Amino acid sequence: MHRFYGIRIGIFGMLSLLLFSSCNDYSSTGIEDSVEFIESTVPVAEAQDVTMDLKSGANSFALHLIDLSNIDPNPIISNGQKRAWCIEWDVRVIQGLQKHVKLHSTEGKVYWNKLNYLLNRIDHYKQSYPQITYKEIQAAIWSIVDYKPFSIDKIPDYPNFPSSFYEDGEYRFDVTLTKEIIEEVKIKASGSVFDKFALVIENEGQIIVTTSE
């Protein structure tokens, strides 16, 4: 059963499963009971039985790199390789091949305005900040998606935080730049018009997102 669907039909049952799951570099703190999060997406009808191959996207300026197939023709998303990001820092990712993956659209949903603003600005940030990496973008996403409590300043207190972002008492990304991006998003996201929007990917691991085309 995919986790996204599990949240829809049994938030407390899935909570029990996650609390006892093995998370590699991640430590689960449990799923937040966020009805707004769950109900603020629309299934992409042509992408409800997708095959996804997921691997590290560090060399492609993303947390994950995914290869999607078995998507029927539609104006939102096509088959092929995409950059992807995660929403849950404390839930393990399942790399490799997965079948029966489902995609959900955030188009026109106010709940996702901040994330959609950020995703539309990634290329701008790459041009404006030569030092930026995928880590600043990912940390900003964790901060602006109102799904699980997250604060950059509290990272030292989070157990088993991903070592690629924080290790041995040191942040391994540009905290100042990340906070600047977060503040820009908070100020400018409301009322913005987006060329593309996030697609939430329902799968067996952590909830991840890619973008429309």
Side-chain angles (χ1 to χ4, degrees):
M1 178 184 294
H2 293 156
R3 292 188 54 257
F4 195 84
Y5 180 71
I7 298 172
R8 289 177 183 271
I9 64 172
I11 190 77
F12 296 109
M14 184 55 70
L15 173 60
S16 299
L17 289 174
L18 287 173
L19 285 173
F20 293 97
S21 65
S22 173
C23 296
N24 297 329
D25 285 340
Y26 300 84
S27 175
S28 176
T29 57
I31 278 188
E32 296 298 313
D33 189 0
S34 176
V35 175
E36 183 179 18
F37 176 87
I38 298 164
E39 295 183 347
S40 61
T41 62
V42 177
V44 179
E46 299 85 356
Q48 294 298 292
D49 190 19
V50 176
T51 298
M52 177 177 73
D53 190 9
L54 185 151
K55 57 186 177 182
S56 172
N59 294 328
S60 302
F61 203 80
L63 185 67
H64 304 310
L65 196 62
I66 57 175
D67 197 347
L68 302 177
S69 58
N70 203 38
I71 297 175
D72 293 332
N74 70 88
I76 297 175
I77 186 77
S78 61
N79 294 305
Q81 199 169 77
K82 324 287 180 185
R83 293 185 297 186
W85 314 88
C86 87
I87 291 175
E88 306 168 290
W89 65 266
D90 59 347
V91 176
R92 67 189 176 97
V93 62
I94 297 179
Q95 294 197 354
L97 198 66
Q98 289 190 52
K99 295 185 177 181
H100 312 303
V101 169
K102 302 177 186 295
L103 274 62
H104 303 259
S105 170
T106 67
E107 184 178 15
K109 301 297 183 180
V110 174
Y111 179 87
W112 297 94
N113 275 357
K114 288 185 287 187
L115 177 61
N116 285 331
Y117 178 89
L118 175 58
L119 294 176
N120 277 270
R121 296 281 286 175
I122 287 178
D123 289 338
H124 167 77
Y125 295 141
K126 289 173 65 177
Q127 294 175 1
S128 300
Y129 307 109
Q131 76 275 29
I132 197 170
T133 70
Y134 76 93
K135 296 179 186 179
E136 287 77 27
I137 299 298
Q138 180 58 72
I141 290 173
W142 286 328
S143 300
I144 64 175
V145 175
D146 185 20
Y147 178 50
K148 289 188 174 183
F150 177 81
S151 169
I152 290 174
D153 294 331
K154 293 182 179 179
I155 286 177
D157 300 327
Y158 296 147
N160 301 319
F161 197 80
S163 58
S164 56
F165 287 81
Y166 182 84
E167 188 175 34
D168 296 330
E170 294 186 3
Y171 288 86
R172 302 184 68 181
F173 64 96
D174 190 327
V175 171
T176 300
L177 175 56
T178 304
K179 289 184 176 181
E180 289 178 4
I181 292 173
I182 293 168
E183 286 306 307
E184 177 191 325
V185 171
K186 289 179 178 178
I187 293 170
K188 297 184 177 181
S190 179
S192 294
V193 177
F194 309 117
D195 294 328
K196 52 189 176 182
F197 48 88
L199 297 172
V200 180
I201 301 178
E202 173 187 345
N203 70 105
E204 295 178 356
Q206 63 184 207
I207 297 174
I208 62 177
V209 296
T210 188
T211 58
S212 63
E213 298 169 350

mmCIF file of all heavy atoms in Angstrom, residues 120-153:
data_model
loop_
_atom_site.group_PDB
_atom_site.id
_atom_site.type_symbol
_atom_site.label_atom_id
_atom_site.label_comp_id
_atom_site.label_asym_id
_atom_site.label_seq_id
_atom_site.Cartn_x
_atom_site.Cartn_y
_atom_site.Cartn_z
ATOM 1 N N ASN A 120 9.325 27.214 -9.188
ATOM 2 C CA ASN A 120 9.414 28.045 -10.390
ATOM 3 C C ASN A 120 10.628 28.958 -10.384
ATOM 4 O O ASN A 120 10.978 29.527 -11.422
ATOM 5 C CB ASN A 120 8.141 28.885 -10.542
ATOM 6 C CG ASN A 120 7.008 28.126 -11.203
ATOM 7 O OD1 ASN A 120 6.853 28.134 -12.416
ATOM 8 N ND2 ASN A 120 6.212 27.436 -10.395
ATOM 9 N N ARG A 121 11.277 29.115 -9.237
ATOM 10 C CA ARG A 121 12.411 30.030 -9.112
ATOM 11 C C ARG A 121 13.763 29.315 -9.076
ATOM 12 O O ARG A 121 14.800 29.971 -8.971
ATOM 13 C CB ARG A 121 12.256 30.857 -7.838
ATOM 14 C CG ARG A 121 11.046 31.763 -7.823
ATOM 15 C CD ARG A 121 11.284 33.020 -8.616
ATOM 16 N NE ARG A 121 12.164 33.939 -7.895
ATOM 17 C CZ ARG A 121 12.613 35.079 -8.403
ATOM 18 N NH1 ARG A 121 12.291 35.418 -9.640
ATOM 19 N NH2 ARG A 121 13.396 35.876 -7.695
ATOM 20 N N ILE A 122 13.785 28.013 -9.175
ATOM 21 C CA ILE A 122 15.037 27.274 -9.026
ATOM 22 C C ILE A 122 16.083 27.719 -10.044
ATOM 23 O O ILE A 122 17.247 27.967 -9.693
ATOM 24 C CB ILE A 122 14.785 25.757 -9.117
ATOM 25 C CG1 ILE A 122 14.086 25.266 -7.841
ATOM 26 C CG2 ILE A 122 16.100 25.005 -9.319
ATOM 27 C CD1 ILE A 122 13.756 23.794 -7.844
ATOM 28 N N ASP A 123 15.712 27.832 -11.304
ATOM 29 C CA ASP A 123 16.688 28.247 -12.320
ATOM 30 C C ASP A 123 17.194 29.661 -12.046
ATOM 31 O O ASP A 123 18.375 29.964 -12.265
ATOM 32 C CB ASP A 123 16.072 28.156 -13.713
ATOM 33 C CG ASP A 123 15.873 26.717 -14.170
ATOM 34 O OD1 ASP A 123 16.564 25.828 -13.623
ATOM 35 O OD2 ASP A 123 15.031 26.479 -15.053
ATOM 36 N N HIS A 124 16.319 30.527 -11.565
ATOM 37 C CA HIS A 124 16.740 31.883 -11.197
ATOM 38 C C HIS A 124 17.769 31.844 -10.072
ATOM 39 O O HIS A 124 18.784 32.565 -10.122
ATOM 40 C CB HIS A 124 15.528 32.704 -10.755
ATOM 41 C CG HIS A 124 15.888 33.985 -10.066
ATOM 42 N ND1 HIS A 124 16.312 35.106 -10.748
ATOM 43 C CD2 HIS A 124 15.911 34.310 -8.737
ATOM 44 C CE1 HIS A 124 16.580 36.070 -9.879
ATOM 45 N NE2 HIS A 124 16.340 35.624 -8.663
ATOM 46 N N TYR A 125 17.531 31.019 -9.068
ATOM 47 C CA TYR A 125 18.474 30.919 -7.951
ATOM 48 C C TYR A 125 19.827 30.394 -8.425
ATOM 49 O O TYR A 125 20.879 30.854 -7.964
ATOM 50 C CB TYR A 125 17.916 30.007 -6.860
ATOM 51 C CG TYR A 125 16.666 30.530 -6.194
ATOM 52 C CD1 TYR A 125 15.625 29.671 -5.839
ATOM 53 C CD2 TYR A 125 16.506 31.884 -5.925
ATOM 54 C CE1 TYR A 125 14.477 30.141 -5.238
ATOM 55 C CE2 TYR A 125 15.352 32.368 -5.321
ATOM 56 C CZ TYR A 125 14.340 31.492 -4.982
ATOM 57 O OH TYR A 125 13.200 31.963 -4.380
ATOM 58 N N LYS A 126 19.816 29.436 -9.338
ATOM 59 C CA LYS A 126 21.070 28.894 -9.856
ATOM 60 C C LYS A 126 21.889 29.971 -10.566
ATOM 61 O O LYS A 126 23.118 30.006 -10.469
ATOM 62 C CB LYS A 126 20.785 27.735 -10.813
ATOM 63 C CG LYS A 126 20.285 26.473 -10.129
ATOM 64 C CD LYS A 126 19.857 25.424 -11.143
ATOM 65 C CE LYS A 126 21.019 24.935 -11.971
ATOM 66 N NZ LYS A 126 20.599 23.863 -12.916
ATOM 67 N N GLN A 127 21.214 30.861 -11.273
ATOM 68 C CA GLN A 127 21.905 31.934 -11.983
ATOM 69 C C GLN A 127 22.355 33.048 -11.038
ATOM 70 O O GLN A 127 23.412 33.651 -11.233
ATOM 71 C CB GLN A 127 20.991 32.511 -13.064
ATOM 72 C CG GLN A 127 20.666 31.535 -14.180
ATOM 73 C CD GLN A 127 19.664 32.098 -15.174
ATOM 74 O OE1 GLN A 127 19.211 33.236 -15.048
ATOM 75 N NE2 GLN A 127 19.310 31.297 -16.171
ATOM 76 N N SER A 128 21.556 33.314 -10.012
ATOM 77 C CA SER A 128 21.832 34.438 -9.110
ATOM 78 C C SER A 128 22.841 34.100 -8.022
ATOM 79 O O SER A 128 23.539 34.984 -7.524
ATOM 80 C CB SER A 128 20.531 34.913 -8.460
ATOM 81 O OG SER A 128 19.602 35.336 -9.430
ATOM 82 N N TYR A 129 22.909 32.826 -7.631
ATOM 83 C CA TYR A 129 23.784 32.412 -6.533
ATOM 84 C C TYR A 129 24.688 31.276 -7.002
ATOM 85 O O TYR A 129 24.303 30.098 -6.931
ATOM 86 C CB TYR A 129 22.954 31.957 -5.331
ATOM 87 C CG TYR A 129 21.929 32.963 -4.872
ATOM 88 C CD1 TYR A 129 20.562 32.728 -5.070
ATOM 89 C CD2 TYR A 129 22.307 34.145 -4.246
ATOM 90 C CE1 TYR A 129 19.610 33.641 -4.648
ATOM 91 C CE2 TYR A 129 21.365 35.071 -3.821
ATOM 92 C CZ TYR A 129 20.021 34.815 -4.029
ATOM 93 O OH TYR A 129 19.081 35.718 -3.615
ATOM 94 N N PRO A 130 25.887 31.597 -7.482
ATOM 95 C CA PRO A 130 26.784 30.560 -8.010
ATOM 96 C C PRO A 130 27.118 29.472 -6.998
ATOM 97 O O PRO A 130 27.435 28.339 -7.380
ATOM 98 C CB PRO A 130 28.042 31.358 -8.394
ATOM 99 C CG PRO A 130 27.570 32.757 -8.588
ATOM 100 C CD PRO A 130 26.455 32.947 -7.606
ATOM 101 N N GLN A 131 27.030 29.804 -5.707
ATOM 102 C CA GLN A 131 27.404 28.843 -4.673
ATOM 103 C C GLN A 131 26.278 27.893 -4.292
ATOM 104 O O GLN A 131 26.487 26.939 -3.534
ATOM 105 C CB GLN A 131 27.869 29.588 -3.405
ATOM 106 C CG GLN A 131 26.748 30.213 -2.562
ATOM 107 C CD GLN A 131 26.319 31.592 -3.023
ATOM 108 O OE1 GLN A 131 26.414 31.918 -4.203
ATOM 109 N NE2 GLN A 131 25.850 32.410 -2.084
ATOM 110 N N ILE A 132 25.091 28.108 -4.820
ATOM 111 C CA ILE A 132 23.940 27.315 -4.387
ATOM 112 C C ILE A 132 24.050 25.868 -4.864
ATOM 113 O O ILE A 132 24.605 25.583 -5.931
ATOM 114 C CB ILE A 132 22.624 27.948 -4.889
ATOM 115 C CG1 ILE A 132 21.429 27.397 -4.106
ATOM 116 C CG2 ILE A 132 22.442 27.720 -6.384
ATOM 117 C CD1 ILE A 132 20.126 28.138 -4.383
ATOM 118 N N THR A 133 23.538 24.951 -4.047
ATOM 119 C CA THR A 133 23.481 23.535 -4.402
ATOM 120 C C THR A 133 22.048 23.039 -4.200
ATOM 121 O O THR A 133 21.174 23.785 -3.744
ATOM 122 C CB THR A 133 24.429 22.694 -3.519
ATOM 123 O OG1 THR A 133 23.904 22.638 -2.178
ATOM 124 C CG2 THR A 133 25.829 23.300 -3.490
ATOM 125 N N TYR A 134 21.827 21.783 -4.497
ATOM 126 C CA TYR A 134 20.497 21.208 -4.276
ATOM 127 C C TYR A 134 20.119 21.224 -2.799
ATOM 128 O O TYR A 134 18.932 21.207 -2.449
ATOM 129 C CB TYR A 134 20.443 19.777 -4.812
ATOM 130 C CG TYR A 134 21.142 18.756 -3.941
ATOM 131 C CD1 TYR A 134 20.441 18.043 -2.970
ATOM 132 C CD2 TYR A 134 22.509 18.513 -4.075
ATOM 133 C CE1 TYR A 134 21.080 17.110 -2.162
ATOM 134 C CE2 TYR A 134 23.151 17.591 -3.273
ATOM 135 C CZ TYR A 134 22.439 16.896 -2.316
ATOM 136 O OH TYR A 134 23.078 15.986 -1.509
ATOM 137 N N LYS A 135 21.111 21.278 -1.906
ATOM 138 C CA LYS A 135 20.827 21.201 -0.471
ATOM 139 C C LYS A 135 20.075 22.427 0.031
ATOM 140 O O LYS A 135 19.170 22.311 0.867
ATOM 141 C CB LYS A 135 22.124 21.021 0.315
ATOM 142 C CG LYS A 135 22.851 19.717 0.025
ATOM 143 C CD LYS A 135 24.138 19.628 0.825
ATOM 144 C CE LYS A 135 24.944 18.401 0.444
ATOM 145 N NZ LYS A 135 26.212 18.324 1.208
ATOM 146 N N GLU A 136 20.443 23.606 -0.448
ATOM 147 C CA GLU A 136 19.732 24.817 -0.029
ATOM 148 C C GLU A 136 18.276 24.774 -0.488
ATOM 149 O O GLU A 136 17.364 25.170 0.250
ATOM 150 C CB GLU A 136 20.430 26.069 -0.582
ATOM 151 C CG GLU A 136 21.734 26.424 0.099
ATOM 152 C CD GLU A 136 22.895 25.545 -0.334
ATOM 153 O OE1 GLU A 136 22.863 25.025 -1.482
ATOM 154 O OE2 GLU A 136 23.845 25.373 0.453
ATOM 155 N N ILE A 137 18.054 24.288 -1.706
ATOM 156 C CA ILE A 137 16.685 24.176 -2.216
ATOM 157 C C ILE A 137 15.891 23.174 -1.386
ATOM 158 O O ILE A 137 14.750 23.431 -0.979
ATOM 159 C CB ILE A 137 16.688 23.755 -3.697
ATOM 160 C CG1 ILE A 137 17.422 24.796 -4.557
ATOM 161 C CG2 ILE A 137 15.260 23.544 -4.193
ATOM 162 C CD1 ILE A 137 16.795 26.167 -4.541
ATOM 163 N N GLN A 138 16.493 22.017 -1.103
ATOM 164 C CA GLN A 138 15.778 20.991 -0.342
ATOM 165 C C GLN A 138 15.475 21.464 1.079
ATOM 166 O O GLN A 138 14.367 21.252 1.589
ATOM 167 C CB GLN A 138 16.591 19.703 -0.302
ATOM 168 C CG GLN A 138 15.923 18.574 0.470
ATOM 169 C CD GLN A 138 14.560 18.206 -0.083
ATOM 170 O OE1 GLN A 138 14.459 17.619 -1.156
ATOM 171 N NE2 GLN A 138 13.493 18.539 0.631
ATOM 172 N N ALA A 139 16.430 22.108 1.734
ATOM 173 C CA ALA A 139 16.191 22.602 3.093
ATOM 174 C C ALA A 139 15.096 23.662 3.102
ATOM 175 O O ALA A 139 14.286 23.735 4.040
ATOM 176 C CB ALA A 139 17.484 23.159 3.683
ATOM 177 N N ALA A 140 15.042 24.483 2.060
ATOM 178 C CA ALA A 140 13.974 25.481 1.954
ATOM 179 C C ALA A 140 12.618 24.803 1.790
ATOM 180 O O ALA A 140 11.618 25.236 2.375
ATOM 181 C CB ALA A 140 14.251 26.422 0.784
ATOM 182 N N ILE A 141 12.567 23.727 1.014
ATOM 183 C CA ILE A 141 11.309 22.995 0.830
ATOM 184 C C ILE A 141 10.821 22.428 2.154
ATOM 185 O O ILE A 141 9.637 22.538 2.498
ATOM 186 C CB ILE A 141 11.486 21.879 -0.222
ATOM 187 C CG1 ILE A 141 11.646 22.493 -1.616
ATOM 188 C CG2 ILE A 141 10.300 20.908 -0.200
ATOM 189 C CD1 ILE A 141 11.983 21.497 -2.704
ATOM 190 N N TRP A 142 11.707 21.806 2.924
ATOM 191 C CA TRP A 142 11.300 21.289 4.235
ATOM 192 C C TRP A 142 10.730 22.410 5.102
ATOM 193 O O TRP A 142 9.817 22.192 5.892
ATOM 194 C CB TRP A 142 12.499 20.665 4.947
ATOM 195 C CG TRP A 142 12.922 19.339 4.402
ATOM 196 C CD1 TRP A 142 12.124 18.381 3.848
ATOM 197 C CD2 TRP A 142 14.249 18.817 4.368
ATOM 198 N NE1 TRP A 142 12.876 17.291 3.472
ATOM 199 C CE2 TRP A 142 14.187 17.530 3.777
ATOM 200 C CE3 TRP A 142 15.497 19.305 4.778
ATOM 201 C CZ2 TRP A 142 15.315 16.733 3.598
ATOM 202 C CZ3 TRP A 142 16.621 18.513 4.595
ATOM 203 C CH2 TRP A 142 16.530 17.237 4.009
ATOM 204 N N SER A 143 11.279 23.608 4.947
ATOM 205 C CA SER A 143 10.890 24.731 5.805
ATOM 206 C C SER A 143 9.551 25.340 5.417
ATOM 207 O O SER A 143 8.816 25.815 6.288
ATOM 208 C CB SER A 143 11.970 25.822 5.755
ATOM 209 O OG SER A 143 13.222 25.340 6.209
ATOM 210 N N ILE A 144 9.220 25.352 4.126
ATOM 211 C CA ILE A 144 8.029 26.090 3.682
ATOM 212 C C ILE A 144 6.792 25.215 3.510
ATOM 213 O O ILE A 144 5.681 25.738 3.483
ATOM 214 C CB ILE A 144 8.293 26.845 2.362
ATOM 215 C CG1 ILE A 144 8.581 25.873 1.219
ATOM 216 C CG2 ILE A 144 9.430 27.844 2.535
ATOM 217 C CD1 ILE A 144 8.728 26.540 -0.134
ATOM 218 N N VAL A 145 6.975 23.896 3.390
ATOM 219 C CA VAL A 145 5.807 23.019 3.265
ATOM 220 C C VAL A 145 5.263 22.747 4.660
ATOM 221 O O VAL A 145 5.927 22.145 5.494
ATOM 222 C CB VAL A 145 6.164 21.698 2.558
ATOM 223 C CG1 VAL A 145 4.954 20.764 2.551
ATOM 224 C CG2 VAL A 145 6.615 21.972 1.132
ATOM 225 N N ASP A 146 4.067 23.188 4.904
ATOM 226 C CA ASP A 146 3.463 23.098 6.235
ATOM 227 C C ASP A 146 2.870 21.711 6.451
ATOM 228 O O ASP A 146 1.660 21.527 6.536
ATOM 229 C CB ASP A 146 2.382 24.171 6.371
ATOM 230 C CG ASP A 146 1.793 24.213 7.766
ATOM 231 O OD1 ASP A 146 2.454 23.717 8.692
ATOM 232 O OD2 ASP A 146 0.675 24.727 7.918
ATOM 233 N N TYR A 147 3.750 20.722 6.546
ATOM 234 C CA TYR A 147 3.298 19.344 6.696
ATOM 235 C C TYR A 147 3.809 18.738 7.989
ATOM 236 O O TYR A 147 3.057 18.169 8.766
ATOM 237 C CB TYR A 147 3.766 18.526 5.492
ATOM 238 C CG TYR A 147 3.389 17.070 5.564
ATOM 239 C CD1 TYR A 147 2.085 16.681 5.851
ATOM 240 C CD2 TYR A 147 4.337 16.084 5.340
ATOM 241 C CE1 TYR A 147 1.737 15.339 5.921
ATOM 242 C CE2 TYR A 147 3.994 14.742 5.400
ATOM 243 C CZ TYR A 147 2.705 14.375 5.691
ATOM 244 O OH TYR A 147 2.369 13.057 5.762
ATOM 245 N N LYS A 148 5.108 18.881 8.223
ATOM 246 C CA LYS A 148 5.703 18.444 9.478
ATOM 247 C C LYS A 148 6.506 19.602 10.055
ATOM 248 O O LYS A 148 7.150 20.339 9.313
ATOM 249 C CB LYS A 148 6.638 17.251 9.251
ATOM 250 C CG LYS A 148 5.927 15.968 8.900
ATOM 251 C CD LYS A 148 6.903 14.804 8.892
ATOM 252 C CE LYS A 148 6.168 13.496 8.680
ATOM 253 N NZ LYS A 148 7.077 12.337 8.744
ATOM 254 N N PRO A 149 6.479 19.772 11.375
ATOM 255 C CA PRO A 149 7.264 20.859 11.976
ATOM 256 C C PRO A 149 8.739 20.727 11.610
ATOM 257 O O PRO A 149 9.331 19.658 11.750
ATOM 258 C CB PRO A 149 7.044 20.657 13.477
ATOM 259 C CG PRO A 149 5.753 19.908 13.583
ATOM 260 C CD PRO A 149 5.720 19.008 12.384
ATOM 261 N N PHE A 150 9.317 21.819 11.111
ATOM 262 C CA PHE A 150 10.734 21.803 10.748
ATOM 263 C C PHE A 150 11.297 23.204 10.879
ATOM 264 O O PHE A 150 10.677 24.183 10.459
ATOM 265 C CB PHE A 150 10.930 21.315 9.311
ATOM 266 C CG PHE A 150 12.372 21.346 8.864
ATOM 267 C CD1 PHE A 150 13.236 20.323 9.215
ATOM 268 C CD2 PHE A 150 12.865 22.415 8.129
ATOM 269 C CE1 PHE A 150 14.572 20.353 8.823
ATOM 270 C CE2 PHE A 150 14.190 22.455 7.731
ATOM 271 C CZ PHE A 150 15.050 21.424 8.080
ATOM 272 N N SER A 151 12.475 23.299 11.469
ATOM 273 C CA SER A 151 13.179 24.569 11.589
ATOM 274 C C SER A 151 14.660 24.323 11.361
ATOM 275 O O SER A 151 15.248 23.416 11.965
ATOM 276 C CB SER A 151 12.964 25.187 12.972
ATOM 277 O OG SER A 151 13.843 26.283 13.174
ATOM 278 N N ILE A 152 15.267 25.121 10.500
ATOM 279 C CA ILE A 152 16.704 24.981 10.252
ATOM 280 C C ILE A 152 17.491 25.142 11.548
ATOM 281 O O ILE A 152 18.470 24.426 11.795
ATOM 282 C CB ILE A 152 17.159 26.011 9.201
ATOM 283 C CG1 ILE A 152 16.594 25.638 7.827
ATOM 284 C CG2 ILE A 152 18.682 26.092 9.136
ATOM 285 C CD1 ILE A 152 16.870 26.657 6.744
ATOM 286 N N ASP A 153 17.061 26.069 12.399
ATOM 287 C CA ASP A 153 17.783 26.326 13.644
ATOM 288 C C ASP A 153 17.714 25.153 14.618
ATOM 289 O O ASP A 153 18.549 25.045 15.523
ATOM 290 C CB ASP A 153 17.229 27.577 14.324
ATOM 291 C CG ASP A 153 17.492 28.834 13.512
ATOM 292 O OD1 ASP A 153 18.502 28.866 12.781
ATOM 293 O OD2 ASP A 153 16.680 29.777 13.598
#
